[in-house]
C-alpha cells in the first residue's frame, strides 16, 4: 500500500477547516455518521465499513469547527486507485463549501499516496455530488448499484452448517403455503432458542 504519511494541504472556509483524521476523533466521527445515517441524501456507508477503514488508516479527512466535527470524507486505497467510501456533512453546515473542501483535501491526501485515479459511487442528489462536479470529476449515469446485507455472523453460519441448515430468503419462508402449525413450531422450538439464548435459558427451553 502506498505511503500516506504526507501532510494534507490546508483547506479552510468560513468558520471551518479540514484536517486529517486522528484516532481520538473516532467517537465523534461515528456520532456524525449516526446523525446523518437516515438522511435521504446521505451516501450509502455501513458503520462496519467506516470503522474498518478508520482503524486501518485509510485516507480520511474531517471538517472541524472549533472542537466539533462537522463533516468527513473517508476513502480506501485499491492498488493505484482511491475510492470514496462516504462523505457526510452535518445538516447545519450544508451549503458552506464543506463538501468541496473535503474533496479537495482528500484529493491531496490520495495524491501523496500515489493514487492515479479517484472514484466515487453516488446517487443523484446525494451529498458530495455537487462537490465532486466542482472538483472536475466526471459523472457516469445510468448504472445501478446492487447490494445486500448479510444477515448472519460467522458464528451463526457455523451453527447453521452444524445443523445441516440452509439460509433462505424471508420472502421464501413467508411464501411457503400452508403448514402454519409446523412453521410456528419451528419458530418456537428451534429459531427462538437459537436467536434468543438468554431468553430461552430463562424459560428452560433447549434446542431439540
Amino acid at each position: 500500500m502506498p505511503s500516506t504519511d504526507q501532510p494534507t494541504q490546508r483547506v479552510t472556509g468560513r468558520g471551518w477547516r479540514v484536517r486529517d483524521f486522528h484516532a481520538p476523533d473516532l467517537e465523534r466521527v461515528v456520532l456524525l455518521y449516526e446523525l446523518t445515517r437516515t438522511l435521504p441524501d446521505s451516501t450509502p456507508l455501513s458503520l462496519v465499513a467506516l470503522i474498518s477503514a478508520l482503524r486501518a488508516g485509510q485516507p480520511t479527512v474531517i471538517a472541524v469547527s472549533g472542537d466539533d466535527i462537522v463533516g468527513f470524507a473517508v476513502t480506501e486505497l485499491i492498488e493505484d486507485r482511491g475510492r470514496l467510501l462516504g462523505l457526510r456533512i452535518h445538516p447545519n453546515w450544508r451549503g458552506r463549501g464543506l463538501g468541496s473542501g473535503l474533496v479537495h483535501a482528500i484529493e491531496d491526501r490520495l495524491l501523496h499516496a500515489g493514487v492515479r485515479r479517484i472514484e466515487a459511487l453516488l446517487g443523484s442528489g446525494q451529498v458530495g455530488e455537487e462537490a465532486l462536479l466542482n472538483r472536475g470529476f466526471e459523472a457516469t449515469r445510468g448504472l445501478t448499484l446492487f447490494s445486500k446485507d448479510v444477515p448472519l455472523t460467522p458464528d451463526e453460519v457455523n451453527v447453521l452448517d452444524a445443523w445441516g441448515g440452509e439460509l433462505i430468503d424471508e420472502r421464501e419462508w413467508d411464501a411457503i403455503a400452508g403448514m402454519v402449525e409446523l412453521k410456528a413450531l419451528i419458530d418456537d422450538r428451534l429459531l427462538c432458542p437459537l436467536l434468543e439464548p438468554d431468553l430461552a435459558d430463562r424459560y428452560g427451553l433447549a434446542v431439540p
Side-chain angles (χ1 to χ4, degrees), residues 4-191:
T4 61
D5 57 2
Q6 297 292 332
T8 298
Q9 181 175 326
R10 183 178 178 85
V11 180
T12 61
R14 186 173 181 179
W16 57 266
R17 64 185 179 88
V18 176
R19 64 168 174 81
D20 283 330
F21 166 85
H22 302 296
D25 301 320
L26 178 60
E27 182 177 353
R28 289 181 295 159
V29 168
V30 171
L31 288 175
L32 179 57
Y33 165 85
E34 289 294 340
L35 176 67
T36 57
R37 179 173 56 86
T38 58
L39 297 179
D41 59 356
S42 289
T43 52
L45 173 65
S46 75
L47 182 58
V48 172
L50 172 63
I51 293 178
S52 296
L54 296 179
R55 288 183 171 170
Q58 296 285 5
T60 303
V61 294
I62 61 175
V64 297
S65 176
D67 293 329
D68 297 326
I69 294 178
V70 294
F72 68 82
V74 56
T75 64
E76 66 174 347
L77 297 175
I78 307 172
E79 297 179 350
D80 64 344
R81 292 181 296 122
R83 183 165 70 94
L84 181 67
L85 292 177
L87 188 151
R88 298 291 178 85
I89 299 174
H90 192 288
N92 295 339
W93 285 84
R94 303 283 179 85
R96 305 193 191 189
L98 265 74
S100 294
L102 287 165
V103 174
H104 185 182
I106 206 66
E107 282 184 78
D108 182 70
R109 193 79 163 89
L110 293 171
L111 178 65
H112 283 100
V115 163
R116 302 293 297 171
R117 184 177 183 83
I118 305 173
E119 301 171 342
L121 183 62
L122 298 180
S124 178
Q126 288 185 324
V127 171
E129 180 184 26
E130 184 177 352
L132 291 168
L133 292 174
N134 288 341
R135 293 294 306 167
F137 282 72
E138 295 181 0
T140 301
R141 305 293 184 183
L143 300 180
T144 302
L145 172 66
F146 291 88
S147 64
K148 181 178 181 178
D149 292 329
V150 179
L152 299 178
T153 67
D155 288 340
E156 291 169 334
V157 172
N158 290 336
V159 171
L160 192 66
D161 290 340
W163 282 82
E166 178 182 353
L167 182 63
I168 66 172
D169 190 273
E170 182 178 350
R171 290 170 298 178
E172 294 175 327
W173 174 257
D174 293 337
I176 297 176
M179 296 185 289
V180 175
E181 292 183 2
L182 178 58
K183 287 164 64 177
L185 179 63
I186 293 174
D187 270 332
D188 293 341
R189 296 289 287 119
L190 183 60
L191 297 182

Side-chain angles (χ1 to χ4, degrees), residues 183-206:
K183 287 164 64 177
L185 179 63
I186 293 174
D187 270 332
D188 293 341
R189 296 289 287 119
L190 183 60
L191 297 182
C192 289
L194 288 174
L195 296 175
E196 302 286 348
D198 294 338
L199 188 62
D201 288 341
R202 189 186 310 169
Y203 288 96
L205 298 178

